[in-house]
Amino acid sequence: MRPNQNVVAGQRLPRLDGAVKATGRFVYGADFALPGTLYGKVLRSTLPHARLKRICASRALALPGVRAVIASADVPAARYGNAIKDQTVFATDIVRFIGHPLAAVAADTLEIAEHALAAIEVELEPLPPLYDPEAALAPGALLLHPGWQSYTALPVIARDGNVAGRSRMRHGDVDAAFAEAYRVYEHRFTTALQHAGYTEPRAASATWDSTGVLTVWSNGQLPFEVQATLSDILQLQPSRIRVVVPGVGGGFGGKLRIGVEHFAALLARASGRPVKMVTTSEEELTAAHPRQAAIITLKTGVTRDGRILAREGRVIVDCGAYSGSGPGVGAVALQCLYGPYRTPHYRLESLAVYTNKVPAGSFRAPSGPMANFAVESQMDMIARDLGIDPLEIRLRNVVQEGDLGPAGEVLRDVSIEECLRRAADAIGWHDRMTTPGRGKGLACSWWMTTGGSSGVFIKLNPDGSVGLTSGAVELGTGALTGAAQVLAEELAIDLEDVRIAMVDTQHVPYDYGAQGSRTAFSVGNACRAAAANLRAQLFALVAARYGLPAEDMRLHQKCVVAGDKRIPLSEIASQQYTGGGLIAHGTTLNPPSAYDAGRVENHPLPVWNTPSFHAHAADLSVDGETGEVTIHRYVVAQDVGYAINPTYVEGQIEGGVSQGLGQALSEEIVYQDGRVLNANLTDYKMPTSLDMPPVESILVEHASAAGPYGAKGVGEPPCIEPPATVANAIAAATGLWVQSLPITAEKILLGLRGESAA
Amino acid sequence: MTHIPLTLTVNGRPYDLLIEPHWTLLHVLRAEIGLPGSKANCLEAECGACTVLLDGKAVNSCILLAALCRGRSIITIEGLGDPEHLHPLQAAFVKHGAVQCGYCIPGMILTAKSFLDEHSERTPSREEIREAISGTLCRCTGYQKIIDAIVAFAAAHPEEQGPAHAP
Amino acid sequence: MSFSLHRPSSMAEAVALARQFGESARFIAGGTDLIIQINRKQQSPAHLIDLNGLPGLAEIEETPHGFRIGALTTHKTIERHPPFQGPLRALAEAARVVGGHQVRNMGTVGGNIANASPAADVVVPLLALDAEVSLVDPDGARVLKLADLLLGPGHTARHTHEVIDGIAFARLPAHSATAFLKAGRRKAMEIAVVCVAARLTLDARGLCAEVGLALGAVNAMAMRATEAERVILGRLPGVELFREAGRLAAQASRPISDVRASVRYRHLLVQALVPRALQLCVDRIGEART
């Protein structure tokens, strides 16, 4: 499975787009504009829940330079959405969150567009708002979507009133197991909304041609999903919608769902001109796709020596005003709550609930950090209570090769024990001094490598370069460089010989998208398949030309080696033996794994493809008089299967940890009465360079069966464990567990003093 | 809306412009001069993506009125080097894996350059370099390889560095 | 959103323009607060008067009395000024944590004072140093104690047509030191949750002869903790004394709860940071002696 030579794959090579980015020549979606473009802006609701009585655009339309104003009456009455089609482009009769789009304007300049927004007349009649998901679950609670039954949804989704999705995983007899347990622990944890925080705002440019075909330049992660969503919204066949992706300045799942493409498209149609839209910082913090806030209750029964007998857990995921990614996110929380642990009896339930706040999305490892915060904090609490070392209690419980996962699937390529031991060794676990205010903590988890299909076309050019066309978007992770390294390894060429094409849905193969840590894995696999196809073509051509047996041929240093002959690939390509040049196609689709359907109810993703395992450890100090936390060292041991490019794999770990530490210590979108109080980067606190400790990455390589050279998905896992790792280290340092995120200095100080937070 | 004439010197070249007084340097660079390498994000001096060098010092171009830059020297990322002639600092960023999505990188490189030029008499420590970039946010990298790149560059190039080629 | 931009080349011209345009004009120095406020529609001046062409306002002078910082001096200049790295270190420590390097390269101390954010960093050590602010208007000049200039959030005693031209404070006596501490939710790019500046002079017997304790972000404007100062004067430095000062300073502060922190937490931070700042002064005086 591993490559023969690791000449290109496995090497710390500079990424293909590094120089163009470092010199400011790389064009991002937010930079892109069409000639003659107009500029669009969205008018958004200032009330969290209201009846939209009247909206009138005539004053706005009369302003010089305003070319179109649209609201719900001007767009098809269609609903769209991921799990549930519950969303409309503009509020129709009910406004459901502050930030809910009401109308949109296209004008000659951005300033005119802003003036035009102010000239749109809106009449709203307030309705009682519902902010608390637990209140939304209570019997008799106000229905936020009175027409919920009329929405179409994926058949697997179980819905009821304010519940946008309920999933369950269970096995065995939890109540009997609790009765037998030595001790049963029950805790409640809460986590806050977190902004994905990509540095490049969401942007789109749209134009229609004279035959009614739409082209959208979008900086989103899933161009084929944008195409499908636009198809729903515009009531147009996908073949009449073309999505092109210039550069993307970070996504992290926040650019998964449609951003501003639909507004740009609708305004372009209404005005007859190209339209460019870019979100503002305020829109990103009030109307984007943040990580859901969650409430987790977890009850665990254990034996005297800390072995898990049973778990009962409930995750409430606050969807916001529309389901967004909520139902799927809630469901996946269950596997995270189960953890990489042997659990004989379990009863786990997730509820995705509507409230009058921003619809939330799929930020990196969606629901992972929240569920992990609960299960790993509680693990340490149990360890402390039973007098067992936190590392030891985990080692007693972790899954082994061949164990069953929560859906009854067989777990393969299990490496959690190695990750735990290596992280613990690296942090000096057995060397823990009892300095007051200083402590070490650890946490572990597992996560999926999302499946889904990918295809690539490759083309060998006469100069020996190879064009790589895939439907996968490069977000910045380096995944496409990684896939190109796999391709170059397979074809015995240099990485710099690979040219990656821009993604354009019109002619790239379908790709399930840059999400779920799947890109290098899936595109890498497709590249191996395409390379095999191209190799076969090359060998057949050489065999025919030279009368040599193809079976004895191999590729080496940009040549076909056949006996004592070395024929350069560029020579074969320039001979034009076949029409249209040397082109090959490769695809990949992971087959679904077998599982026990009896353990799972209404779960859209019951089995995790090619799971990865990982453990984090931190050494930190807590200032006992201010509550401020200083992390001295942070260690990650992550099973990456095979590190296609160790530099960029480390980059994912270092970056993921910074997002996780932000969630752990300082980041939250603060809502008060339905309004975001900190809708700017002054008060939404992402880590600066001074907030980051040195991060040591230990790349564990426990090869997977399905990944290219054994690779596993790498991008999401590093943001999962930091909240629990930090919480456990703070508890080790102070004796205090904070059970809500972010764990701010204020919460720590007040907690140490036995005072409750304001 | 009154336009005023303004000549700006950017990357060593003069540009004769007609601008509105409230236009920021960032807007003028991107929309009027056609240098989109300086990036727009928060537009409130909170993220540093718009950082350029004004008389050699890093500033947030998103809150700097273009009209106040009359007679001053402006260097953008495009003026430091191009893909065929990378400034060694740019090369260090590429070599050390400091570039992921790259959106913060123009601002980050110029922030680093400003600091290193300010301390050109010595090689700053890793911790000083970490502090030097604390006004420029990166969401992708966790800063580690960015700091590695700047540290490596500073160690290899103790003297003050100008642009890679005459603009 | 546009305005007319005026570029006077002398102070006289600048204040004449200010008188001419009155409330519809604002002065612009570094613009790091003003432009953001204009973009957020918190201010909409029809005229901006650019002070950057005025000569002689961007220097730090040592005078027989002490120091005079020109109003257009940037935070970066203050941060790196060699005479501010010793006993006057609190000035550099405060300047160093204003925004990031980019903001410090542009933002000026005069602009910072005129903007009068209750959380302004450099204002706090200046207050502890009993700084005085000189203002110029078309009819002349006046000097106000910084403490009397600051009236509330965004509000100072400066008249619309007055320009702050400098800030002065007296030289520190021998055996003096200053210290500045700031608490925030992250370690950079912070608007202070609480900040504290201490100035301490010890006499020949090692008793606290002079003290200035200033607090930021815990009241409508930066404030002196005068009861805390009184309890320290004439006493020997010590942990219990400084803790008492911290408690008194916390009692005197009037913080609000906002998205950054609660009232309670701010009180606790004052209690924690005041003794630390005072102890740092004692340590620094001790270091200078050896």
Side-chain angles (χ1 to χ4, degrees):
Chain A
M1 171 58 81
R2 291 176 74 98
N4 288 339
Q5 295 169 66
N6 275 338
V7 173
V8 182
Q11 297 303 313
R12 292 179 180 273
L13 298 174
R15 60 189 299 145
L16 290 171
D17 53 1
V20 69
K21 286 175 173 174
T23 54
R25 267 62 170 188
F26 187 80
V27 176
Y28 294 88
D31 297 325
F32 183 87
L34 291 159
T37 192
L38 299 175
Y39 297 89
K41 292 287 293 181
V42 176
L43 179 69
R44 297 180 180 275
S45 166
T46 51
L47 288 184
H49 197 202
R51 200 169 296 283
L52 177 60
K53 308 224 62 180
R54 183 178 156 265
I55 184 159
C56 178
S58 52
R59 278 180 50 223
L61 276 165
L63 292 175
V66 172
R67 306 295 171 196
V69 183
I70 53 175
S72 69
D74 306 301
V75 309
R79 291 195 179 272
Y80 68 93
N82 182 246
I84 305 171
K85 293 194 200 291
D86 54 6
Q87 210 157 351
T88 53
V89 174
F90 299 114
T92 50
D93 53 338
I94 307 278
V95 161
R96 290 190 169 85
F97 67 104
I98 292 182
H100 196 157
L102 302 176
V105 165
D108 292 348
T109 70
L110 209 51
E111 282 179 63
I112 295 173
E114 278 162 8
H115 284 128
L117 289 187
I120 299 173
E121 290 159 38
V122 176
E123 214 177 294
L124 294 177
E125 185 184 86
L127 292 169
L130 201 48
Y131 304 129
D132 175 1
E134 287 177 310
L137 287 172
L142 179 67
L143 261 192
L144 291 185
H145 288 266
W148 67 274
Q149 283 169 306
S150 67
Y151 302 154
T152 51
L154 296 175
V156 70
I157 305 292
R159 306 177 290 138
D160 184 10
N162 287 334
V163 174
R166 187 201 66 233
S167 300
R168 290 181 175 144
M169 298 186 102
R170 55 177 158 207
H171 184 67
D173 187 340
V174 167
D175 299 312
F178 281 146
E180 242 180 67
Y182 172 74
R183 220 159 263 177
V184 175
Y185 301 86
E186 192 163 359
H187 297 96
R188 177 185 159 97
F189 301 87
T190 58
T191 70
L193 277 159
Q194 189 190 14
H195 173 39
Y198 34 80
T199 310
E200 182 210 17
R202 291 171 294 156
S205 283
T207 190
W208 295 80
D209 73 14
S210 54
T211 71
V213 168
L214 168 69
T215 305
V216 178
W217 283 262
S218 151
N219 64 0
Q221 299 177 230
L222 310 181
F224 287 96
E225 182 173 305
V226 166
Q227 185 190 47
T229 307
L230 286 172
S231 170
D232 282 346
I233 289 172
L234 299 167
Q235 308 268 276
L236 261 192
Q237 292 212 359
S239 56
R240 302 187 70 72
I241 299 169
R242 178 179 172 198
V243 180
V244 182
V245 183
V248 181
F252 316 116
K255 289 177 177 165
L256 225 65
R257 307 294 169 222
I258 203 155
V260 290
E261 293 86 347
H262 46 333
F263 300 123
L266 290 163
L267 285 169
R269 188 155 71 178
S271 65
R273 295 267 299 275
V275 174
K276 176 175 178 175
M277 301 211 49
V278 182
T279 52
T280 63
S281 224
E282 186 181 349
E283 283 177 306
E284 288 298 345
L285 282 158
T286 55
H289 306 293
R291 189 188 289 292
Q292 290 78 1
I295 301 166
I296 305 117
T297 47
L298 187 61
K299 183 171 166 185
T300 303
V302 298
T303 63
R304 177 77 180 80
D305 64 345
R307 277 168 221 279
I308 299 167
L309 284 178
R311 276 222 219 268
E312 181 174 53
R314 185 188 232 205
V315 179
I316 295 173
V317 148
D318 185 344
C319 285
Y322 292 92
S323 55
S325 305
V329 166
V332 160
L334 301 184
Q335 280 108 322
C336 265
L337 205 59
Y338 182 91
Y341 297 119
R342 294 172 153 169
T343 310
H345 309 273
Y346 48 98
R347 184 164 60 216
L348 306 172
E349 178 181 73
S350 69
L351 296 170
V353 183
Y354 288 120
T355 61
N356 290 122
K357 300 198 289 291
V358 61
S362 298
F363 182 3
R364 197 171 189 168
S367 79
M370 300 92 98
N372 189 259
F373 174 56
V375 74
E376 288 296 275
S377 296
Q378 190 185 66
M379 201 62 148
D380 263 37
M381 294 168 178
I382 295 171
R384 162 135 344 156
D385 186 59
L386 295 178
I388 302 172
D389 177 302
L391 172 64
E392 180 55 34
I393 200 174
R394 288 173 170 84
L395 293 174
R396 288 180 191 173
N397 282 290
V398 288
V399 290
Q400 307 288 333
E401 184 75 19
D403 279 354
L404 299 185
E409 77 275 31
V410 177
L411 298 175
R412 295 272 175 236
D413 308 314
V414 175
S415 59
I416 182 68
E417 185 173 329
E418 181 183 350
C419 294
L420 269 167
R421 287 193 189 282
R422 291 182 70 177
D425 282 344
I427 204 72
W429 186 256
H430 302 292
D431 224 347
R432 282 164 294 155
M433 301 168 296
T434 41
T435 315
R438 183 155 179 170
K440 294 178 183 175
L442 45 77
C444 67
S445 186
W446 66 314
W447 188 253
M448 70 183 101
T449 306
T450 301
S453 78
S454 291
V456 301
F457 299 135
I458 60 175
K459 176 168 81 103
L460 179 58
N461 297 309
D463 65 357
S465 65
V466 173
L468 168 59
T469 302
S470 98
V473 170
E474 170 59 59
L475 305 180
T477 59
L480 269 299
T481 291
Q485 282 179 256
V486 170
L487 183 63
E489 180 75 35
E490 294 285 318
L491 295 179
I493 59 177
D494 292 331
L495 174 61
E496 298 75 51
D497 294 326
V498 180
R499 311 267 180 277
I500 301 178
M502 185 177 280
V503 175
D504 178 338
T505 56
Q506 191 165 77
H507 52 255
V508 303
Y510 175 80
D511 192 281
Y512 186 54
Q515 57 178 329
S517 309
R518 63 178 296 279
T519 305
F521 181 99
S522 299
V523 181
N525 273 344
C527 282
R528 293 192 72 222
N533 183 322
L534 186 67
R535 263 201 303 274
Q537 291 182 50
L538 288 165
F539 295 166
L541 285 169
V542 171
R545 171 102 166 68
Y546 292 93
L548 294 167
E551 324 64 89
D552 296 340
M553 292 181 196
R554 62 189 178 95
L555 292 179
H556 183 62
Q557 292 181 354
K558 313 196 196 200
C559 293
V560 173
V561 176
D564 57 0
K565 291 207 170 338
R566 297 171 58 88
I567 305 115
L569 297 181
S570 55
E571 188 185 304
I572 303 170
S574 37
Q575 297 296 326
Q576 300 197 4
Y577 291 120
T578 59
L582 280 161
I583 299 167
H585 177 216
T587 63
T588 186
L589 177 62
N590 248 49
S593 313
Y595 70 100
D596 174 2
R599 298 191 192 210
V600 175
E601 240 178 77
N602 301 111
H603 195 307
L605 197 64
V607 182
W608 283 359
N609 170 47
T610 309
S612 62
F613 301 88
H614 12 86
H616 293 206
D619 175 4
L620 55 77
S621 293
V622 178
D623 183 322
E625 290 181 318
T626 66
E628 283 174 53
V629 172
T630 303
I631 305 177
H632 306 296
R633 287 177 62 215
Y634 197 95
V635 167
V636 173
Q638 181 166 334
D639 178 8
V640 304
Y642 170 80
I644 297 172
N645 186 321
T647 297
Y648 296 103
V649 169
E650 287 167 358
Q652 287 305 292
I653 292 174
E654 292 154 11
V657 167
S658 82
Q659 292 177 3
L661 290 179
Q663 182 179 15
L665 294 170
S666 63
E667 290 183 46
E668 57 176 324
I669 297 177
V670 179
Y671 264 94
Q672 188 181 85
D673 300 327
R675 193 174 67 86
V676 175
L677 291 186
N678 58 341
N680 53 62
L681 291 188
T682 310
D683 283 314
Y684 183 81
K685 312 279 189 195
M686 295 192 283
T688 67
S689 57
L690 284 178
D691 297 293
M692 280 303 295
V695 173
E696 296 159 43
S697 302
I698 298 165
L699 304 187
V700 175
E701 287 184 302
H702 197 109
S704 72
Y709 308 140
K712 300 181 181 178
V714 157
E716 291 169 296
C719 77
I720 294 174
E721 287 98 325
T725 306
V726 163
N728 288 340
I730 289 170
T734 63
L736 173 75
W737 264 284
V738 176
Q739 288 164 234
S740 76
L741 294 182
I743 304 174
T744 60
E746 176 166 341
K747 284 182 190 172
I748 292 173
L749 186 62
L750 294 180
L752 288 175
R753 296 174 63 92
E755 300 176 29
S756 52
Chain B
M1 289 197 281
T2 46
H3 283 77
I4 55 180
L6 175 69
T7 300
L8 284 186
T9 306
V10 181
N11 299 330
R13 289 186 49 191
Y15 291 87
D16 293 320
L17 307 160
L18 275 178
I19 64 148
E20 293 198 37
H22 66 278
W23 284 358
T24 62
L25 178 61
L26 181 66
H27 173 81
V28 167
L29 288 170
R30 289 174 59 82
E32 300 294 313
I33 293 178
L35 289 170
S38 311
K39 297 308 179 194
N41 179 33
C42 76
L43 304 180
E44 292 193 319
E46 285 289 346
C47 75
C50 65
T51 303
V52 302
L53 298 182
L54 184 70
D55 295 332
K57 297 193 170 79
V59 295
N60 294 311
S61 64
C62 70
I63 55 161
L64 176 56
L65 294 180
L68 298 187
C69 300
R70 189 189 308 267
R72 305 181 71 174
S73 137
I74 297 158
I75 305 283
T76 71
I77 190 67
E78 292 98 333
L80 205 58
D82 65 57
E84 261 73 69
H85 313 92
L86 290 174
H87 184 282
L89 182 54
Q90 291 167 318
F93 268 63
V94 176
K95 176 175 171 201
H96 289 269
V99 179
Q100 287 192 30
C101 88
Y103 202 74
C104 78
I105 291 299
M108 194 66 81
I109 287 176
L110 293 175
T111 305
K113 180 163 185 0
S114 170
F115 180 80
L116 292 175
D117 290 344
E118 193 177 77
H119 294 83
S120 58
E121 73 286 357
R122 61 185 180 83
T123 305
S125 69
R126 188 178 177 93
E127 279 320 299
E128 286 179 297
I129 285 169
R130 180 184 284 282
E131 190 280 330
I133 60 169
S134 59
T136 306
L137 297 184
C138 174
R139 194 54 160 172
C140 292
T141 67
Y143 306 100
Q144 190 140 313
K145 293 186 187 327
I146 290 174
I147 296 168
D148 289 346
I150 301 167
V151 166
F153 170 82
H157 297 88
E159 73 292 353
E160 189 175 352
Q161 283 277 348
H165 58 285
Chain C
M1 197 278 284
S2 204
F3 40 74
S4 297
L5 187 60
H6 306 270
R7 318 196 72 219
S9 49
S10 71
M11 178 64 81
E13 216 188 312
V15 293
L17 284 165
R19 171 163 280 169
Q20 178 188 347
F21 293 120
E23 285 297 330
S24 70
R26 294 281 181 279
F27 293 113
I28 181 163
T32 54
D33 287 313
L34 180 62
I35 298 300
I36 294 175
Q37 288 160 7
I38 290 175
N39 289 344
R40 287 185 182 174
K41 317 249 187 303
Q42 292 160 352
Q43 300 217 41
S44 338
H47 301 273
L48 285 196
I49 304 168
D50 176 13
L51 295 175
N52 292 292
L54 269 48
L57 287 188
E59 285 139 24
I60 305 179
E61 286 177 72
E62 200 156 339
T63 68
H65 172 63
F67 286 89
R68 188 174 186 287
I69 304 176
L72 290 187
T73 306
T74 64
H75 286 100
K76 180 58 75 80
T77 302
I78 294 175
E79 174 190 343
R80 289 172 56 79
H81 193 58
F84 292 167
Q85 308 304 322
L88 287 166
R89 198 174 315 174
L91 287 169
E93 289 174 327
R96 176 169 307 130
V97 294
V98 173
H101 282 253
Q102 296 93 318
V103 164
R104 304 208 280 284
N105 284 334
M106 285 164 66
T108 65
V109 64
N112 200 237
I113 290 173
N115 187 55
S117 160
D121 298 296
V122 173
V123 166
V124 177
L126 286 171
L127 196 61
L129 287 164
D130 288 320
E132 293 182 333
V133 180
S134 54
L135 303 111
V136 177
D137 76 6
D139 303 318
R142 62 177 177 142
V143 172
L144 274 185
K145 294 182 75 63
L146 177 59
D148 296 330
L149 181 68
L150 302 170
L151 298 180
H155 187 35
T156 68
R158 179 186 69 87
H159 302 308
T160 328
H161 52 266
E162 276 183 305
V163 173
I164 296 174
D165 78 337
I167 302 95
F169 52 88
R171 174 165 288 97
L172 287 176
H175 309 310
S176 299
T178 59
F180 173 85
L181 293 173
K182 175 175 180 176
R185 205 145 166 183
R186 59 182 176 181
K187 300 198 195 307
M189 295 297 282
E190 270 304 80
I191 303 216
V193 169
V194 166
C195 60
V196 168
R199 165 182 59 87
L200 187 63
T201 304
L202 300 181
D203 68 19
R205 293 168 294 163
L207 303 176
C208 299
E210 289 178 40
V211 65
L213 258 181
L215 312 173
V218 292
N219 209 329
M221 55 274 180
M223 57 176 280
R224 290 278 291 263
T226 45
E227 291 92 3
E229 292 170 0
R230 269 198 288 275
V231 88
I232 293 173
L233 278 173
R235 312 252 311 260
L236 207 60
V239 166
E240 267 322 305
L241 176 68
F242 290 164
R243 283 204 181 131
E244 176 63 15
R247 280 190 289 274
L248 287 169
Q251 274 167 33
S253 63
R254 295 276 172 276
I256 56 168
S257 276
D258 62 14
V259 73
R260 295 169 195 143
S262 67
V263 169
R264 180 66 181 138
Y265 183 56
R266 287 181 152 122
H267 275 133
L268 291 171
L269 282 176
V270 172
Q271 255 178 248
L273 295 183
V274 162
R276 286 186 195 183
L278 289 165
Q279 186 58 45
L280 269 172
C281 290
V282 170
D283 295 342
R284 288 172 179 176
I285 294 168
E287 274 162 26
R289 276 185 170 137
T290 59

